[in-house]
Amino acid sequence: MSELVSQAVTALNAKMDGDGLEGGPAKFVISDEGAIMIDENGARAGDEEAEVTLTADAETFQSILEGDLDPTAAFMQGKLAVDGDMGLAMKLAAVLG
């Protein structure tokens, strides 16, 4: 597991403040770094089947996580790919934003 994935898991769990993601699981793939699973229990490193998979490079993911880039804007700009349940992707975007 990369340092970025480890830091992201910690940051995502802090953002969710003990709440998980209803309707999951969702997966966030960070190119060349690894993957994060997000479900009703929170975030953890992992690469399993998911209802929706979001994919971005490390720079884009970091910008989204830090609140510098809106996930919807990243999607519209082609920096964030979404494969699967768009409704769940929107819930995840709310968690990230």
Side-chain angles (χ1 to χ4, degrees):
M1 171 173 42
S2 78
E3 183 67 26
L4 177 60
V5 169
S6 182
Q7 291 172 353
V9 166
T10 301
L12 284 167
N13 281 319
K15 277 185 180 247
M16 289 188 282
D17 194 30
D19 295 330
L21 179 69
E22 294 297 318
K27 178 168 45 176
F28 207 118
V29 176
I30 307 168
S31 303
D32 300 322
E33 295 287 339
I36 300 166
M37 299 300 298
I38 304 168
D39 58 23
E40 66 275 355
N41 298 314
R44 61 184 162 70
D47 190 2
E48 299 145 30
E49 288 293 314
E51 296 296 317
V52 65
T53 301
L54 287 76
T55 306
D57 63 25
E59 183 181 336
T60 299
F61 178 77
Q62 196 81 28
S63 294
I64 291 170
L65 196 59
E66 292 172 356
D68 296 332
L69 179 61
D70 179 70
T72 304
F75 175 75
M76 297 302 234
Q77 295 168 11
K79 294 180 178 182
L80 177 66
V82 178
D83 182 28
D85 184 336
M86 272 311 249
L88 186 56
M90 297 304 286
K91 284 184 187 179
L92 183 55
V95 169
L96 293 170

